[in-house]
Amino acid sequence: MQLTPEEQAMLRGEKGPAVQEAMEFQIEVGSFFEARRFVPITHAHVMGDIEVMGDGGLDHLRGMGEKHARCSVPTSSNAQCMHFHDDARLRQDEDEADKEREILARYKTMRIATTDSCIPYQQVYQPKLGEHVAWGDTGTVIYANSVLGARTNFEAGKASFAAALTGRTPEYGFHLDDARAGSILVSLQASMTDFADWGALGKIVGHPHQDYFAVPVFDEFKRMPSSDELKHLGASLASYGSMAMFHMVGVTPEAQTREMAFRSKAPQHTMVVTDRDIQAVYDAYRYQDSASNIVVFSGPQLSLFEMQGLAELFEGRTVAPGMAAVVTTNHMVYCDAKRLGYVQTLENAGVTILQGVCFYILQRLSKIREENGWTNLISNSGKLVNTITAHRFNTVLRRTRECVDIACTGRLA
């Protein structure tokens, strides 16, 4: 890799041992991906939970702390695996919780803002068109690349942390123009009336095209989607297809026209998605007999407007016996939702609200499922019903209002 004088100084250790170690690691990553150089970044988003990092990651963090590591660019942290909540149904290991607290404390000394958010693009930082960032978490990356027109790859935990220290990342993948060209044309003719529809769309497109460098281009949809709708689409595409980018003609910044989205190349594949195709996704899910089930609104964390919508749907209702209902959001949204009365409405209905986590990465989640006897997990998140099957839930995707009805009636429909 071609290093600038400043990068050569980092490699020699002139910016301290932590930056030197980070630069050595980044050169290995860049060489593996055949990057020719580094690009400066303006923001990093790092993983920050013991479930993902493990003891090895924590030991690395301790070692970097001893070397006085400090981030050189604004840096935020992803969702935790610990909810630090007193709900007895969601008991977590205290020893692991202590490790999580240590991670958060160490991050603060390293100039990392522990936002505990998997939706930083909605509250924390919105990079501009063409801006290079280094973000961990798949849902954040696909939103940044697609909706904001920023440039980032799926940065592994150690890679995003190294980028935060050096203020740069290897220039490969979606930092380059060629990777950002569309490859799949999707004629979107479905009505798309709920967040869950966008998750279903992500499954329809992502599952048969599992390719990091596949870039769907959605065209012919007749209205402007909201930030939350695009959030659910991106998270689902990343989950089912490992995709890091999509275009929507007339909506996303690098797709003012179809030709612009494909960079004048021909599509490699063409698809048409109708209301019947969306309904077929819902019809494919089957319930299993069980006395106890759970409805979860998570994956990604909820925005303020999603909290508002749920509060309206749960107003005056109560979660039924044998059911549990859980919502996850970040601290910033929670504070405003509490001020506006949404938290009180949801808690009056018996909904458990967890701050700073995403449900599917909760520590000891498989044991939590067993202890509560939960069999079916119903959600309006396409990403969640795919990702969480590793914990042996029988997952069912349903539209938001239907999820609320199931939670409050106990009837699986």
Side-chain angles (χ1 to χ4, degrees):
M1 296 183 66
Q2 300 171 4
L3 304 185
T4 66
E6 183 180 4
E7 291 158 359
Q8 291 171 358
M10 291 181 184
L11 189 59
R12 289 193 299 266
E14 295 176 17
K15 299 295 181 81
V19 171
Q20 182 181 34
E21 182 177 332
M23 177 58 66
E24 290 171 348
F25 173 74
Q26 287 190 295
I27 289 173
E28 290 185 18
V29 173
S31 298
F32 178 84
F33 286 108
E34 300 181 342
R36 296 182 178 181
R37 62 175 185 170
F38 289 101
V39 288
I41 62 167
T42 54
H43 185 268
H45 184 69
V46 300
M47 310 302 289
D49 68 275
I50 191 63
E51 188 80 354
V52 171
M53 294 175 67
D55 290 339
L58 179 54
D59 286 342
H60 174 68
L61 200 61
R62 288 167 176 160
M64 295 300 272
E66 292 173 359
K67 295 177 180 178
H68 308 290
R70 281 177 62 82
C71 297
S72 63
V73 296
T75 303
S76 53
S77 67
N78 202 56
Q80 303 166 236
C81 69
M82 294 286 176
H83 54 81
F84 303 123
H85 193 280
D86 60 3
D87 192 321
R89 297 171 299 176
L90 301 171
R91 183 174 58 85
Q92 299 183 281
D93 293 326
E94 191 56 38
D95 287 346
E96 296 299 296
D98 287 342
K99 295 176 184 177
E100 187 92 334
R101 292 186 181 96
E102 180 183 350
I103 291 171
L104 295 174
R106 288 186 176 277
Y107 270 3
K108 289 177 183 178
T109 69
M110 296 175 179
R111 203 168 168 264
I112 296 174
T114 52
T115 52
D116 306 331
S117 174
C118 64
I119 52 172
Y121 47 82
Q122 289 187 312
Q123 277 85 35
V124 181
Y125 189 80
Q126 297 81 38
K128 305 176 294 298
L129 176 64
E131 186 174 344
H132 296 278
V133 296
W135 283 11
D137 181 72
T138 54
T140 65
V141 168
I142 193 169
Y143 193 99
N145 280 328
S146 309
V147 182
L148 302 175
R151 299 193 171 206
T152 179
N153 290 302
F154 290 158
E155 295 274 9
K158 188 175 179 180
S160 58
F161 181 56
L165 299 182
T166 65
R168 61 210 66 225
T169 194
E171 188 184 42
Y172 70 93
F174 288 93
H175 290 285
L176 300 171
D177 290 342
D178 287 347
R180 303 175 72 84
S183 59
I184 304 167
L185 176 61
V186 183
S187 175
L188 181 52
Q189 299 177 11
S191 302
M192 310 302 289
T193 59
D194 190 83
F195 298 135
D197 293 349
W198 294 93
L201 175 62
K203 180 177 183 178
I204 291 169
V205 176
H207 193 262
H209 302 102
Q210 296 179 27
D211 180 356
Y212 179 59
F213 289 109
V215 179
V217 176
F218 298 93
D219 200 0
E220 300 179 346
F221 188 54
K222 304 304 181 187
R223 68 169 174 83
M224 180 67 69
S226 70
S227 171
D228 286 320
E229 290 172 329
L230 295 173
K231 174 177 76 175
H232 279 270
L233 171 61
S236 184
L237 286 170
S239 180
Y240 285 99
S242 296
M243 295 173 176
M245 187 170 186
F246 67 87
H247 297 290
M248 187 167 287
V249 177
V251 175
T252 55
E254 295 176 61
Q256 296 177 24
T257 64
R258 183 185 294 187
E259 292 72 22
M260 182 179 176
F262 283 101
R263 294 183 178 266
S264 301
K265 300 177 182 177
Q268 298 174 15
H269 305 280
T270 300
M271 303 177 65
V272 177
V273 179
T274 66
D275 287 328
R276 180 176 296 180
D277 297 316
I278 298 294
Q279 186 59 45
V281 174
Y282 296 117
D283 293 343
Y285 291 96
R286 296 288 185 270
Y287 293 104
Q288 293 181 7
D289 291 337
S290 175
S292 299
N293 302 291
I294 183 169
V295 175
V296 180
F297 302 93
S298 178
Q301 293 169 336
L302 272 65
S303 72
L304 183 65
F305 296 111
E306 287 177 286
M307 294 288 285
Q308 180 189 52
L310 279 185
E312 292 171 350
L313 291 173
F314 274 104
E315 178 77 49
R317 307 184 73 178
T318 304
V319 175
M323 296 295 303
V326 173
V327 165
T328 73
T329 190
N330 58 52
H331 308 297
M332 289 174 283
V333 169
Y334 179 88
C335 289
D336 264 350
K338 187 171 184 178
R339 178 177 61 85
L340 294 168
Y342 308 150
V343 167
Q344 189 65 53
T345 298
L346 292 169
E347 290 182 341
N348 287 346
V351 177
T352 297
I353 303 175
L354 304 180
Q355 296 182 61
V357 302
C358 262
F359 191 81
Y360 72 95
I361 60 172
L362 282 178
Q363 191 263 335
R364 73 183 297 274
L365 182 55
S366 293
K367 290 293 185 182
I368 290 172
R369 175 189 59 76
E370 293 173 3
E371 290 164 0
N372 289 280
W374 291 327
T375 298
N376 297 292
L377 184 149
I378 303 98
S379 180
N380 68 344
S381 166
K383 173 182 179 176
L384 184 69
V385 298
N386 182 45
T387 308
I388 208 166
T389 54
H391 293 285
R392 301 297 185 266
F393 285 96
N394 179 61
T395 59
V396 178
L397 181 68
R398 290 292 181 260
R399 292 185 172 97
T400 306
R401 183 179 294 276
E402 190 172 353
C403 287
V404 174
D405 288 342
I406 291 168
C408 294
T409 65
R411 294 193 295 271
L412 304 180

mmCIF file of all heavy atoms in Angstrom, residues 189-211:
data_model
loop_
_atom_site.group_PDB
_atom_site.id
_atom_site.type_symbol
_atom_site.label_atom_id
_atom_site.label_comp_id
_atom_site.label_asym_id
_atom_site.label_seq_id
_atom_site.Cartn_x
_atom_site.Cartn_y
_atom_site.Cartn_z
ATOM 1 N N GLN A 189 -43.684 -3.026 -7.757
ATOM 2 C CA GLN A 189 -45.081 -2.728 -8.056
ATOM 3 C C GLN A 189 -46.007 -2.954 -6.864
ATOM 4 O O GLN A 189 -47.201 -2.703 -6.941
ATOM 5 C CB GLN A 189 -45.528 -3.570 -9.252
ATOM 6 C CG GLN A 189 -44.717 -3.283 -10.513
ATOM 7 C CD GLN A 189 -45.110 -4.155 -11.694
ATOM 8 O OE1 GLN A 189 -46.127 -4.856 -11.656
ATOM 9 N NE2 GLN A 189 -44.302 -4.123 -12.744
ATOM 10 N N ALA A 190 -45.455 -3.451 -5.754
ATOM 11 C CA ALA A 190 -46.261 -3.711 -4.561
ATOM 12 C C ALA A 190 -46.635 -2.407 -3.861
ATOM 13 O O ALA A 190 -45.949 -1.389 -3.995
ATOM 14 C CB ALA A 190 -45.481 -4.618 -3.607
ATOM 15 N N SER A 191 -47.710 -2.448 -3.077
ATOM 16 C CA SER A 191 -48.234 -1.241 -2.435
ATOM 17 C C SER A 191 -47.353 -0.763 -1.289
ATOM 18 O O SER A 191 -47.239 0.451 -1.052
ATOM 19 C CB SER A 191 -49.653 -1.497 -1.914
ATOM 20 O OG SER A 191 -50.501 -1.906 -2.966
ATOM 21 N N MET A 192 -46.766 -1.680 -0.516
ATOM 22 C CA MET A 192 -45.830 -1.357 0.562
ATOM 23 C C MET A 192 -46.482 -0.442 1.596
ATOM 24 O O MET A 192 -46.219 0.755 1.683
ATOM 25 C CB MET A 192 -44.556 -0.720 0.008
ATOM 26 C CG MET A 192 -43.917 -1.482 -1.142
ATOM 27 S SD MET A 192 -43.470 -3.187 -0.719
ATOM 28 C CE MET A 192 -42.115 -2.916 0.369
ATOM 29 N N THR A 193 -47.326 -1.011 2.448
ATOM 30 C CA THR A 193 -48.110 -0.224 3.406
ATOM 31 C C THR A 193 -47.601 -0.309 4.836
ATOM 32 O O THR A 193 -48.125 0.368 5.718
ATOM 33 C CB THR A 193 -49.575 -0.695 3.388
ATOM 34 O OG1 THR A 193 -49.628 -2.095 3.739
ATOM 35 C CG2 THR A 193 -50.188 -0.500 2.009
ATOM 36 N N ASP A 194 -46.595 -1.149 5.102
ATOM 37 C CA ASP A 194 -46.135 -1.344 6.472
ATOM 38 C C ASP A 194 -44.631 -1.590 6.483
ATOM 39 O O ASP A 194 -44.053 -2.029 5.483
ATOM 40 C CB ASP A 194 -46.867 -2.541 7.105
ATOM 41 C CG ASP A 194 -46.622 -2.657 8.596
ATOM 42 O OD1 ASP A 194 -47.311 -1.966 9.371
ATOM 43 O OD2 ASP A 194 -45.731 -3.431 9.000
ATOM 44 N N PHE A 195 -43.992 -1.321 7.628
ATOM 45 C CA PHE A 195 -42.559 -1.597 7.748
ATOM 46 C C PHE A 195 -42.244 -3.047 7.405
ATOM 47 O O PHE A 195 -41.218 -3.346 6.794
ATOM 48 C CB PHE A 195 -42.070 -1.297 9.167
ATOM 49 C CG PHE A 195 -42.231 0.139 9.577
ATOM 50 C CD1 PHE A 195 -42.742 0.475 10.819
ATOM 51 C CD2 PHE A 195 -41.860 1.168 8.725
ATOM 52 C CE1 PHE A 195 -42.878 1.802 11.203
ATOM 53 C CE2 PHE A 195 -41.984 2.502 9.085
ATOM 54 C CZ PHE A 195 -42.511 2.809 10.338
ATOM 55 N N ALA A 196 -43.113 -3.952 7.818
ATOM 56 C CA ALA A 196 -42.877 -5.377 7.570
ATOM 57 C C ALA A 196 -42.853 -5.695 6.077
ATOM 58 O O ALA A 196 -42.158 -6.628 5.644
ATOM 59 C CB ALA A 196 -43.939 -6.226 8.267
ATOM 60 N N ASP A 197 -43.608 -4.937 5.271
ATOM 61 C CA ASP A 197 -43.577 -5.142 3.820
ATOM 62 C C ASP A 197 -42.173 -4.889 3.274
ATOM 63 O O ASP A 197 -41.706 -5.591 2.368
ATOM 64 C CB ASP A 197 -44.567 -4.199 3.127
ATOM 65 C CG ASP A 197 -46.017 -4.513 3.460
ATOM 66 O OD1 ASP A 197 -46.286 -5.579 4.048
ATOM 67 O OD2 ASP A 197 -46.880 -3.680 3.127
ATOM 68 N N TRP A 198 -41.495 -3.879 3.836
ATOM 69 C CA TRP A 198 -40.144 -3.568 3.370
ATOM 70 C C TRP A 198 -39.158 -4.656 3.788
ATOM 71 O O TRP A 198 -38.222 -4.973 3.050
ATOM 72 C CB TRP A 198 -39.723 -2.197 3.899
ATOM 73 C CG TRP A 198 -40.560 -1.102 3.312
ATOM 74 C CD1 TRP A 198 -41.693 -0.551 3.834
ATOM 75 C CD2 TRP A 198 -40.348 -0.454 2.055
ATOM 76 N NE1 TRP A 198 -42.201 0.410 2.985
ATOM 77 C CE2 TRP A 198 -41.393 0.488 1.886
ATOM 78 C CE3 TRP A 198 -39.380 -0.554 1.061
ATOM 79 C CZ2 TRP A 198 -41.484 1.315 0.769
ATOM 80 C CZ3 TRP A 198 -39.473 0.262 -0.063
ATOM 81 C CH2 TRP A 198 -40.513 1.185 -0.189
ATOM 82 N N GLY A 199 -39.379 -5.246 4.965
ATOM 83 C CA GLY A 199 -38.566 -6.388 5.354
ATOM 84 C C GLY A 199 -38.801 -7.590 4.466
ATOM 85 O O GLY A 199 -37.862 -8.312 4.099
ATOM 86 N N ALA A 200 -40.077 -7.805 4.096
ATOM 87 C CA ALA A 200 -40.397 -8.901 3.178
ATOM 88 C C ALA A 200 -39.746 -8.676 1.820
ATOM 89 O O ALA A 200 -39.233 -9.618 1.195
ATOM 90 C CB ALA A 200 -41.915 -9.014 3.027
ATOM 91 N N LEU A 201 -39.736 -7.435 1.365
ATOM 92 C CA LEU A 201 -39.079 -7.110 0.101
ATOM 93 C C LEU A 201 -37.589 -7.430 0.172
ATOM 94 O O LEU A 201 -37.013 -7.978 -0.783
ATOM 95 C CB LEU A 201 -39.288 -5.627 -0.215
ATOM 96 C CG LEU A 201 -38.569 -5.077 -1.454
ATOM 97 C CD1 LEU A 201 -39.052 -5.770 -2.723
ATOM 98 C CD2 LEU A 201 -38.764 -3.560 -1.547
ATOM 99 N N GLY A 202 -36.959 -7.102 1.289
ATOM 100 C CA GLY A 202 -35.549 -7.417 1.461
ATOM 101 C C GLY A 202 -35.274 -8.903 1.371
ATOM 102 O O GLY A 202 -34.254 -9.330 0.817
ATOM 103 N N LYS A 203 -36.190 -9.702 1.905
ATOM 104 C CA LYS A 203 -36.041 -11.158 1.813
ATOM 105 C C LYS A 203 -36.201 -11.631 0.374
ATOM 106 O O LYS A 203 -35.423 -12.468 -0.113
ATOM 107 C CB LYS A 203 -37.066 -11.847 2.706
ATOM 108 C CG LYS A 203 -36.985 -13.368 2.662
ATOM 109 C CD LYS A 203 -37.976 -14.030 3.608
ATOM 110 C CE LYS A 203 -37.808 -15.541 3.579
ATOM 111 N NZ LYS A 203 -38.747 -16.211 4.529
ATOM 112 N N ILE A 204 -37.198 -11.107 -0.329
ATOM 113 C CA ILE A 204 -37.462 -11.523 -1.707
ATOM 114 C C ILE A 204 -36.251 -11.244 -2.603
ATOM 115 O O ILE A 204 -35.874 -12.067 -3.443
ATOM 116 C CB ILE A 204 -38.708 -10.786 -2.249
ATOM 117 C CG1 ILE A 204 -39.978 -11.280 -1.532
ATOM 118 C CG2 ILE A 204 -38.846 -10.968 -3.753
ATOM 119 C CD1 ILE A 204 -41.199 -10.422 -1.808
ATOM 120 N N VAL A 205 -35.622 -10.098 -2.399
ATOM 121 C CA VAL A 205 -34.495 -9.709 -3.247
ATOM 122 C C VAL A 205 -33.177 -10.266 -2.720
ATOM 123 O O VAL A 205 -32.326 -10.728 -3.490
ATOM 124 C CB VAL A 205 -34.417 -8.173 -3.357
ATOM 125 C CG1 VAL A 205 -33.198 -7.753 -4.164
ATOM 126 C CG2 VAL A 205 -35.702 -7.625 -3.993
ATOM 127 N N GLY A 206 -33.000 -10.246 -1.402
ATOM 128 C CA GLY A 206 -31.722 -10.626 -0.832
ATOM 129 C C GLY A 206 -31.448 -12.112 -0.806
ATOM 130 O O GLY A 206 -30.326 -12.557 -1.104
ATOM 131 N N HIS A 207 -32.453 -12.905 -0.468
ATOM 132 C CA HIS A 207 -32.209 -14.337 -0.268
ATOM 133 C C HIS A 207 -31.695 -15.050 -1.514
ATOM 134 O O HIS A 207 -30.749 -15.849 -1.429
ATOM 135 C CB HIS A 207 -33.477 -15.018 0.259
ATOM 136 C CG HIS A 207 -33.238 -16.392 0.769
ATOM 137 N ND1 HIS A 207 -33.488 -17.518 0.019
ATOM 138 C CD2 HIS A 207 -32.733 -16.832 1.953
ATOM 139 C CE1 HIS A 207 -33.168 -18.589 0.722
ATOM 140 N NE2 HIS A 207 -32.707 -18.207 1.891
ATOM 141 N N PRO A 208 -32.248 -14.796 -2.689
ATOM 142 C CA PRO A 208 -31.724 -15.493 -3.877
ATOM 143 C C PRO A 208 -30.457 -14.859 -4.462
ATOM 144 O O PRO A 208 -29.891 -15.397 -5.407
ATOM 145 C CB PRO A 208 -32.880 -15.389 -4.872
ATOM 146 C CG PRO A 208 -33.592 -14.149 -4.492
ATOM 147 C CD PRO A 208 -33.469 -14.026 -3.005
ATOM 148 N N HIS A 209 -30.015 -13.735 -3.926
ATOM 149 C CA HIS A 209 -28.836 -13.048 -4.453
ATOM 150 C C HIS A 209 -27.864 -12.750 -3.311
ATOM 151 O O HIS A 209 -27.561 -11.599 -3.009
ATOM 152 C CB HIS A 209 -29.224 -11.742 -5.156
ATOM 153 C CG HIS A 209 -30.176 -11.918 -6.286
ATOM 154 N ND1 HIS A 209 -31.518 -11.634 -6.177
ATOM 155 C CD2 HIS A 209 -29.987 -12.359 -7.553
ATOM 156 C CE1 HIS A 209 -32.115 -11.875 -7.330
ATOM 157 N NE2 HIS A 209 -31.211 -12.322 -8.185
ATOM 158 N N GLN A 210 -27.376 -13.767 -2.665
ATOM 159 C CA GLN A 210 -26.514 -13.576 -1.497
ATOM 160 C C GLN A 210 -25.100 -13.241 -1.961
ATOM 161 O O GLN A 210 -24.284 -14.116 -2.212
ATOM 162 C CB GLN A 210 -26.544 -14.827 -0.631
ATOM 163 C CG GLN A 210 -27.930 -15.100 -0.055
ATOM 164 C CD GLN A 210 -27.994 -16.344 0.797
ATOM 165 O OE1 GLN A 210 -27.002 -16.758 1.379
ATOM 166 N NE2 GLN A 210 -29.165 -16.942 0.885
ATOM 167 N N ASP A 211 -24.846 -11.957 -2.045
ATOM 168 C CA ASP A 211 -23.585 -11.473 -2.617
ATOM 169 C C ASP A 211 -23.327 -10.077 -2.065
ATOM 170 O O ASP A 211 -24.118 -9.159 -2.273
ATOM 171 C CB ASP A 211 -23.694 -11.442 -4.144
ATOM 172 C CG ASP A 211 -22.420 -10.959 -4.825
ATOM 173 O OD1 ASP A 211 -21.465 -10.580 -4.121
ATOM 174 O OD2 ASP A 211 -22.388 -10.946 -6.070
#
